[in-house]
Amino acid sequence: MKITEKGISRRGILRAGAAGSIALAAPMHFIRNAWAQKAIGNFPARTEGSTVKFGFIVPQTGAYADEGADELRAYQLAVKHLNEGGGMLETIKPLSLKGNGVLGKKIEYVSGDTQTNPDAARQAAQRAIERDGVIMFSGGSSSAVAVAQQYLAQEKGVIFMDALTHSNDTTGKDRRRYGFRHFFNAYMSGIALGPIIAERYGKDRRAYHLTADYTWGHTQYESIKEATEKQGWTTVNNIMTPLGATDFSQFLTAAINSDADVLILNHYGKDMINSLTQAVQFGMRDMQKNGKQIEVVVPLYSELMAQGAGDNIEGVLGTANFNEKLDDPGSQVFIKAFMEEHGRPPSQAAHTAYVQTLLYANAVEQSGTFYPPEVIKALEGLEVDGIGPGTALYRAEDHQCFHDILVVEGKAPSARQDEYDLLEIVKHVPREEVTYPEDLPAFGGPEADLGPYEPTA
């Protein structure tokens, strides 16, 4: 365990040495290496009053706006729980937070619109840092956006807690010391999904891919291609499609005219809703090729996508980070609080946004300071329970969080208990099965580097 029952890191005690006894005499918090702290980002200038600000930069417009709206709902709930108690503050272990803010300071927040566009996201985050003085920021829903924000975080010395980002590059070749990802990635999706779709559909299959043309789609395609070819599948072709496209007819026509008998949609958000709906409208799921029924696979699924695609999701397999039917204590307390606040169950985008906010705040409280290098060191190697099923680990070498993930399947209308009961959990995949070495070629190899704890101007 990384933190003792009193919230003090053993590593911090050893590092502080003889000065530890002086720090322990402070009235409220154990401040590690306080004598060495210097101005980084918005520390200490924006942490000296009675409040501090977080920044939540989410897609309020664009292809991933539905996910962004749910992220913002979760961020608002996280701030409420930090200031007033409740939610996962009842389940997180180890916990340093007390439900009275962070280090006794009330949390305020500002928000911005990424427009599902990296340049717009960077500009919105920069405004939050420079104009509004946020001490940390979070957001995502496009990996290109998350990567752009993560590089900005490293430049500015303000920690970025990535929300929904699934590209391998986020914690691979584009990993940054000032960025942390709780969400799983495309490589994990391939590990979890490959054996199940081979068991379900057979090992002699021919796959045609449609792929969103940016960092997430590229790594998702490579990951699911590798996973399916290990199962004996053949990759017939891959077409890159523009993010935010509404008409997929020409791409689907090419797939129909091929000899492929599986359509893999490396799409997310409204892109997946549109491509899957149009594939059904084209009659692809009623066609046969090579004596087999054409099947459709969506490697990365979400509740919001399932709602948008409606009955077209029936029998479609994919992976997910969260589901509103999970029964572990952390998931249950979050689902209950979210339902009471917003009148609907949370999506996986909401879950990861909420968790990231609390993990950052807990690391600050544990460290006894907002000084970014100390907060980063508190997160690196952290093992935590009570934020979802199983124990989660923030790996120090690449800042990827490892935890259990899900393989899910779209439910038939007749099997649904309510309007939100859309995805059935097919397999609960334990963390150990999706853990991989941090220096794999798909993640930048041995040369991938997080960068310094103290950014240089």
Side-chain angles (χ1 to χ4, degrees), residues 6 79 110 142 154 163 172 231-232 243 255 258 276 280 388 447:
K6 293 183 179 180
V79 168
V110 297
S142 157
Q154 187 73 31
Q231 300 296 326
L243 180 63
S258 75
L276 176 60
V280 173
E447 294 77 23

Side-chain angles (χ1 to χ4, degrees), residues 145-219:
V145 161
V147 167
Q149 290 178 307
Q150 194 165 259
Y151 273 90
L152 178 69
Q154 187 73 31
E155 294 168 19
K156 296 294 184 181
V158 178
I159 293 172
F160 176 59
M161 301 297 286
D162 299 62
L164 200 163
T165 169
H166 191 244
S167 170
N168 295 339
D169 293 345
T170 308
T171 46
K173 69 180 184 64
D174 294 311
R175 68 185 71 166
R176 297 286 93 190
R177 183 74 64 186
Y178 275 68
F180 288 85
R181 170 164 61 181
H182 165 261
F183 206 76
F184 70 133
N185 60 45
Y187 192 79
M188 296 182 197
S189 285
I191 293 172
L193 190 57
I196 289 178
I197 57 177
E199 180 181 352
R200 179 75 63 90
Y201 304 137
K203 299 204 171 202
D204 181 21
R205 282 288 192 165
R206 300 179 62 79
Y208 203 105
H209 295 251
L210 302 186
T211 300
D213 191 10
Y214 74 105
T215 178
W216 168 68
H218 300 170
T219 66

